[in-house]
Amino acid sequence: MLHRLKLKIVYGDALNVDKAAKGLKLRVILISGFAVFIPFLAITYLLVAQEDRVTKLLIIGFLSAISCVPVVLYAYAKGIGRPIRELWKERPEELKWLSLKIGFLYGFTLYWMILGIVEFLFGYQSFRAALISFVASAAARDGFEIGYLRRLESVKQVKMKHFPDNRSIWEMFPVAPQKIILLVSTAILGGAMTGLYLGPILPNPRHQTIAVGLVVGVVATLSYVWALDVPPSRKAILRYFVWPGFTMAVTYFLILAYLLRIIFSITLPPATDLALLMSACAGWLTLESLFVAYLQWGKTIPVSETSSKALNEIAS
């Protein structure tokens, strides 16, 4: 999910100002969603109809992730404005990375989030092929945005020094290791204690989802604000809380809760269950929020002027 935060927060402004590109992205998303609907209608109701529930969900999830690979490559080519064959010859390593991480792994992860929404929040007990369309559409959206940013890079309108994945999240640790570890540990511990308290009080998954979104969203937003080199406006802070703070916290909770409770069928006491899930979400999103803030230092500090001394001054 970290790539989504990069696309939206670090590079989102570049796409928002291009209305033509936004229109093309919408068409690509719609085409991708419709393209996978009919095949998965057959897969869902015919090919795996006789399997037990968990096996069926795993098979559909695997096939869903595979289907996102050509979708993301198609969207990437549309975003960059060149035929996929030419791109494959020119940059095969990047397209392999795109296929694996944005197509397969991201698609597989989103699949569990969609199931969590359907089952925990709306109470449906069976899978619907239309939901795969949402997974494919999300992969297409990200593939298009990456391709579009690559096009801008080719004409020197945007510097892609952080993306697609040539900088690791561990890069920021040498800047302020003790503070980062302390902050992430505090988020995990705070999430665990909050979950222990709220678990018995909030047995309903809907209420749990909202609680995790609010608590983890606030923690992630405060972490993001702390890590920025320049204090953001109140509007920017509120925007970050809404997305990715609250939204991504809910996303992570639905993914982890569905895997823990449904796929692995692990039954824990209510307090322990919610404590485990909330602490995992808090640590996960806090770490990503710190990294996204770290990546934005380049917006206010020219790369050529960024030295270890300057980084240490920001960290302090």
Side-chain angles (χ1 to χ4, degrees):
M1 296 290 188
L2 180 58
H3 79 276
R4 186 63 207 156
L5 273 70
K6 290 181 182 179
L7 284 172
K8 182 73 172 180
I9 298 172
V10 182
Y11 297 108
D13 293 342
L15 182 60
N16 289 335
V17 298
D18 191 335
K19 293 184 179 180
K22 291 174 68 175
L24 178 57
K25 182 178 76 168
L26 180 59
R27 290 195 294 272
V28 169
I29 290 173
L30 292 175
I31 291 172
S32 301
F34 282 115
V36 302
F37 176 74
I38 295 178
F40 271 93
L41 189 65
I43 289 170
T44 302
Y45 292 103
L46 299 177
L47 299 184
V48 293
Q50 303 304 317
E51 300 288 346
D52 67 81
R53 184 163 186 261
V54 172
T55 302
K56 178 178 179 179
L57 292 174
L58 288 172
I59 292 174
I60 296 175
F62 181 76
L63 295 174
S64 168
I66 291 178
S67 74
C68 287
V69 173
V71 165
V72 77
L73 292 176
Y74 158 76
Y76 177 86
K78 286 293 185 181
I80 205 170
R82 295 175 57 191
I84 189 65
R85 291 183 180 179
E86 292 182 9
L87 294 172
W88 190 269
K89 292 179 181 179
E90 177 183 312
R91 50 187 76 189
E93 294 303 319
E94 181 171 324
L95 292 185
K96 289 176 184 177
W97 175 91
L98 198 71
S99 300
L100 175 62
K101 189 167 184 179
I102 308 301
F104 186 84
L105 296 178
Y106 182 56
F108 199 59
T109 302
L110 284 180
Y111 170 77
W112 303 113
M113 180 202 72
I114 295 296
L115 285 180
I117 292 175
V118 170
E119 187 153 336
F120 290 148
L121 302 188
F122 298 107
Y124 298 148
Q125 299 301 316
S126 60
F127 187 78
R128 292 294 181 262
L131 298 177
I132 294 296
S133 297
F134 290 100
V135 178
S137 297
R141 173 202 62 202
D142 292 0
F144 180 90
E145 291 181 4
I146 294 170
Y148 177 79
L149 291 170
R150 276 287 183 254
R151 184 199 303 181
L152 293 184
E153 181 190 21
S154 67
V155 294
K156 310 302 181 184
Q157 292 184 5
V158 62
K159 294 182 179 180
M160 297 289 289
K161 57 182 179 297
H162 307 315
F163 205 76
D165 203 26
N166 58 347
R167 296 181 70 177
S168 169
I169 197 170
W170 306 111
E171 176 187 328
M172 69 175 175
F173 274 87
V175 176
Q178 294 180 345
K179 292 183 179 180
I180 294 173
I181 293 173
L182 178 62
L183 187 56
V184 174
S185 300
T186 301
I188 293 173
L189 181 60
M193 294 178 63
T194 306
L196 284 172
Y197 174 74
L198 294 179
I201 301 176
L202 302 175
N204 190 311
R206 297 184 185 182
H207 300 157
Q208 292 179 351
T209 302
I210 295 173
V212 171
L214 292 173
V215 173
V216 176
V218 168
V219 172
T221 302
L222 293 176
S223 302
Y224 173 75
V225 173
W226 172 83
L228 287 173
D229 59 325
V230 176
S233 65
R234 292 183 180 179
K235 182 178 180 181
I237 295 174
L238 179 60
R239 189 186 304 117
Y240 190 90
F241 169 75
V242 174
W243 196 102
F246 179 86
T247 307
M248 295 300 287
V250 167
T251 297
Y252 293 162
F253 173 74
L254 291 173
I255 292 170
L256 296 176
Y258 199 88
L259 291 173
L260 178 72
R261 299 172 182 175
I262 304 299
I263 299 302
F264 298 112
S265 300
I266 298 176
T267 303
L268 299 172
T272 305
D273 178 275
L274 190 58
L276 178 63
L277 293 172
M278 188 174 286
S279 63
C281 294
W284 188 357
L285 190 54
T286 296
L287 185 62
E288 291 185 335
S289 295
L290 293 175
F291 187 52
V292 170
Y294 168 77
L295 291 180
Q296 291 188 87
W297 288 359
K299 286 187 174 182
T300 55
I301 303 175
V303 177
S304 59
E305 297 177 13
T306 302
S307 62
S308 58
K309 180 180 179 181
L311 295 179
N312 290 329
E313 289 177 355
I314 294 171
S316 62

